[in-house]
Amino acid sequence: RCLLPLFLGLFQGALLLFFALFVTYDEPSVQAEDANLVANQVYSTFPFFQDIQVMLVVGLGLLLTFLPRYGLSALTHNFLLLNYSMQWALVLQGFIHHFQHGQVHLDLHKLLISEFAAVTVLISVGTILGRTSPCQLLVMASCEVPVYLASEWVIVNCLGVLDVGGTITIHVFSCYFGLGVSKALFWAGQKPLHPKETPTPRSDLMSLVGMLILWVFWPSFVAVLCQPGDAQHRAILNTLLAMSASAVTTVVASSLLERDGKLSPGHLQNGSLAGGVAIGAVADMALPPVAALALGSLSAMACVLGFRFLTPLLGRKFALQDQCGIHNLHGLPGILGAAASAVAVLVASKDTSGSHFSQQALCQAAGLAVAIGVSLVAGLLTGAALRLPCLARPPERLCFDDSLYFKFQDQAKSLGPGSTTEERALVLKE
């Protein structure tokens, strides 16, 4: 009742102070040529940025509504975490990378990088969705954002990994960070199936709509950081081909694996997006179109097979909780995309007879190892911190239920001004 508004109020107050003291915009350029260059950058980047906003706020939010009695919480917490993590990333970026002459100069590119940091949080919380309180999710975001920014700097700037679409730096990192949090938080063992956990046709339909929105706008997410021109054009085309192949392959694989040839909504909601995850590491490379189609098909097969066989196996052998199956959508296709990037670089080295490309292939593998190792260790430590009783973890019987966090009209009527304390306690218990 008090912890969440206190936490967010102090955070927003501190952020207001930080912005008042240190954050400013770039001074407007006097020369017409420079002004036109800035205008072109804004007009070329902002449409991609808006597409990504729709993906994260609407598409990803609806994708998480497959839990029938947790849809309002999933949408709201997703929206809250996006804004909280983006502002937190802006502060950390400003202090670490962009603090010059006592000021942080804010622009659209810095905001976009902060949005990518928020994406890692939105993906990672999928492992513990429905079983944690908003305070726990905010603490998780506070820990994950600085670790992501550090690992992304090491992978891209120190190792020189090619990953324009965030396959390694975003998808692989966020997947194994979330799995580490889940393992440390639920260390006692695998939870039995909760009675409110089973999706309904209506909740699956809402989640499928979210998948469709993500599918449409995903090329913008992959291509936004590419160099304008040929590289950006290739990234868009490769992403469209990979995602189209993953959508078709998902239907094939799901129909073959399910009884009577029926389709699994969970397979469709995730496998159709697997191609977009895998293609990010090679999207701007000079690949033949058939390579993008093959990578999309392989990633979709890996995702569907992961849901069918790997997730139950990890639950039985390692007591690993993965509520949204992010290991199947982000982990397996992410590893496949990283391997594809190393292979693509090696193939390029044979064509040009240069040793530089062979070293780059090793860098791609090293970047994958760093992303998995750092995220797992940091996730385990964060999950241990989330076990603190002061973070208001919900009891098991109240998990996956919107009524724990939201006031509905029928509850307001039942809790009228004349109701007694016993009546209020009875309604809360129900």
Side-chain angles (χ1 to χ4, degrees):
R1 181 177 181 178
C2 299
L3 188 59
L4 182 63
L6 179 64
F7 189 106
L8 288 176
L10 290 176
F11 169 78
Q12 200 64 59
L15 200 78
L16 286 170
L17 182 62
F18 172 78
F19 269 65
L21 295 176
F22 301 113
V23 179
T24 185
Y25 296 116
D26 287 327
E27 296 181 1
S29 178
V30 177
Q31 298 183 3
E33 295 179 357
D34 294 338
N36 290 334
L37 179 62
V38 173
N40 290 334
Q41 290 176 344
V42 172
Y43 293 140
S44 63
T45 304
F46 190 66
F48 288 106
F49 183 82
Q50 286 293 81
D51 290 349
I52 295 171
Q53 289 281 84
V54 175
M55 285 179 64
L56 302 181
V57 176
V58 184
L60 185 57
L62 289 176
L63 186 68
L64 300 177
T65 59
F66 64 94
L67 297 170
R69 299 183 62 177
Y70 199 71
L72 189 59
S73 299
L75 276 167
T76 305
H77 295 164
N78 178 76
F79 185 54
L80 173 63
L81 286 171
L82 172 64
N83 289 279
Y84 175 86
S85 303
M86 183 183 65
Q87 294 184 49
W88 178 224
L90 277 175
V91 172
L92 294 175
Q93 273 196 99
F95 271 127
I96 297 173
H97 299 301
H98 308 294
F99 198 74
Q100 298 174 352
H101 308 294
Q103 292 289 322
V104 177
H105 294 274
L106 189 63
D107 58 21
L108 190 58
H109 181 76
K110 295 182 180 68
L111 197 64
L112 182 63
I113 300 301
S114 300
E115 195 110 315
F116 282 162
V119 172
T120 62
V121 177
L122 303 185
I123 295 173
S124 296
V125 299
T127 57
I128 56 177
L129 185 72
R131 295 184 185 271
T132 46
S133 68
C135 295
Q136 287 179 302
L137 298 180
L138 291 173
V139 171
M140 178 178 172
S142 302
C143 298
E144 184 171 3
V145 168
V147 178
Y148 162 76
L149 292 174
S151 68
E152 192 265 348
W153 183 81
V154 170
I155 292 171
V156 175
N157 295 89
C158 297
L159 296 177
V161 172
L162 302 176
D163 186 23
V164 70
T167 296
I168 300 171
T169 55
I170 294 178
H171 295 287
V172 172
F173 174 89
S174 57
C175 168
Y176 289 98
F177 186 94
L179 292 178
V181 170
S182 177
K183 181 60 182 175
L185 184 59
F186 306 122
W187 62 272
Q190 187 178 15
K191 298 284 185 182
L193 186 67
H194 198 280
K196 302 173 187 176
E197 194 175 350
T198 304
T200 62
R202 183 181 180 84
S203 65
D204 272 331
L205 178 61
M206 294 295 293
S207 183
L208 194 62
V209 171
M211 181 277 292
L212 295 174
I213 295 173
L214 288 169
W215 193 94
V216 169
F217 289 107
W218 202 288
S220 296
F221 181 86
V222 174
V224 64
L225 293 181
C226 293
Q227 290 295 327
D230 290 339
Q232 200 166 62
H233 188 209
R234 282 196 303 269
I236 293 172
L237 293 176
N238 285 330
T239 305
L240 286 171
L241 289 175
M243 299 197 69
S244 180
S246 65
V248 175
T249 306
T250 298
V251 174
V252 175
S254 180
S255 180
L256 291 176
L257 289 175
E258 294 297 322
R259 184 177 299 176
D260 299 330
K262 295 182 178 180
L263 301 177
S264 167
H267 294 168
L268 293 176
Q269 294 154 10
N270 294 274
S272 303
L273 302 174
V277 174
I279 199 66
V282 296
D284 60 339
M285 296 183 184
L287 301 174
V290 67
L293 286 171
L295 187 57
S297 295
L298 289 174
S299 60
M301 289 176 60
C303 180
V304 174
L305 290 173
F307 272 103
R308 187 68 174 83
F309 300 108
L310 187 57
T311 295
L313 179 65
L314 293 176
R316 291 194 307 268
K317 298 295 184 181
F318 302 100
L320 190 61
Q321 307 277 336
D322 186 3
Q323 192 64 47
C324 295
I326 68 169
H327 187 242
N328 307 312
L329 174 55
H330 301 277
L332 297 179
I335 293 173
L336 187 62
S341 68
V343 172
V345 170
L346 287 175
V347 171
S349 68
K350 293 179 181 178
D351 295 338
T352 58
S353 300
S355 61
H356 169 74
F357 292 94
S358 299
Q359 295 175 357
Q360 184 62 49
L362 293 176
C363 290
Q364 297 296 114
L368 177 64
V370 169
I372 294 176
V374 171
S375 59
L376 268 178
V377 173
L380 289 169
L381 295 175
T382 302
L386 296 187
R387 295 182 59 83
L388 294 173
C390 62
L391 295 180
R393 178 179 169 185
E396 184 66 20
R397 63 186 179 87
L398 295 179
C399 290
F400 308 110
D401 201 327
D402 287 330
S403 62
L404 185 61
Y405 305 109
F406 291 90
K407 181 178 180 180
F408 297 105
Q409 194 63 32
D410 55 348
Q411 290 180 341
K413 292 178 180 179
S414 63
L415 294 175
S419 60
T420 63
T421 304
E422 291 79 10
E423 290 173 344
R424 292 175 180 270
L426 179 60
V427 172
L428 179 60
K429 183 178 179 181
E430 292 176 352

